[in-house]
Amino acid sequence: DPRAGKLVQAPASEKASSLSDVLSIVEKPDGGLWLGTADGLVRLSPAGDIEARYQSAAEGLASRRVSHLVPWRDGVVAAGADGLSFFDMDGADAGLSVSLNAEGTPAGQEPAFVAALSPDELLAGANGGVWLLTPGNPAAKLADLDARGALAAQGGAVFLAGTREVYRLERDENGMRGALRPIEGRQD
């Protein structure tokens, strides 16, 4: 129970079977949850009831195995090896999902991370690169880097965890993403 701050075992049922392999979790503004599972995307009410389940491309899900969830705008980005999808309380936003999966978008392997930088920007690490995704634009490869994670910090700085170093990505004076620079010091 997320509001009570305690773990509660869910009752065994056929409806709960898709919840047995949860790979990622994001809290909704109302206290409910989005669950990324090996069998799709599930939206739970604050009471833990299944409100919606998405398991196929016909339902707007780019990748059935949802390895990463990222709160973004008024919903969630569901990411997996076959691409990214955007869902809100009304379901999939097909136009936004198509835009995020435009030509050049990293696909073919599960992303190492997906991070929301702003309401108009996502950062994804996949296929040995760091990609900036903005709706309506082709994916922009920012760096050839096998990044393992990212943090969008207050003030606009972005930190990336590489295999042996931590990097910082800042905006330039025009608001564009600037150069990727290693943080001084040795991290291994």
Side-chain angles (χ1 to χ4, degrees):
D1 182 352
R3 289 200 236 189
K6 60 182 178 179
L7 292 175
V8 178
Q9 184 171 348
S13 73
E14 287 182 29
K15 291 173 85 177
S17 66
S18 68
L19 306 181
S20 63
D21 197 3
V22 175
L23 305 171
S24 53
I25 302 173
V26 168
E27 186 175 15
K28 300 181 327 188
D30 69 359
L33 299 173
W34 289 99
L35 305 176
T37 76
D39 197 33
L41 178 66
V42 178
R43 189 177 74 225
L44 299 178
S45 72
D49 298 320
I50 296 175
E51 295 178 331
R53 179 180 291 142
Y54 307 96
Q55 296 177 299
S56 69
E59 297 169 302
L61 194 60
S63 187
R64 186 166 182 162
R65 179 181 166 87
V66 179
S67 58
H68 293 76
L69 290 175
V70 179
W72 194 53
R73 296 186 174 184
D74 290 328
V76 66
V77 173
D82 297 321
L84 306 172
S85 306
F86 178 76
F87 288 81
D88 59 20
M89 294 304 286
D90 296 325
D93 183 325
L96 188 55
S97 294
V98 166
S99 178
L100 293 174
N101 291 296
E103 185 177 335
T105 302
Q109 75 176 46
E110 287 187 356
F113 70 86
V114 179
L117 303 183
S118 74
D120 295 315
E121 299 174 309
L122 292 170
L123 197 65
N127 298 328
V130 176
W131 302 79
L132 180 64
L133 308 173
T134 55
N137 296 308
K141 190 172 191 179
L142 298 180
D144 289 315
L145 177 67
D146 187 15
R148 307 298 168 99
L151 169 70
Q154 293 181 356
V158 176
F159 297 92
L160 298 167
T163 54
R164 293 185 177 234
E165 291 187 284
V166 175
Y167 298 86
R168 184 181 181 112
L169 178 65
E170 294 183 345
R171 293 190 183 276
D172 64 18
E173 61 276 353
N174 299 319
M176 302 300 290
R177 294 284 165 193
L180 190 64
R181 302 188 193 293
I183 293 178
E184 294 298 323
R186 190 171 173 92
Q187 286 99 35
D188 57 2

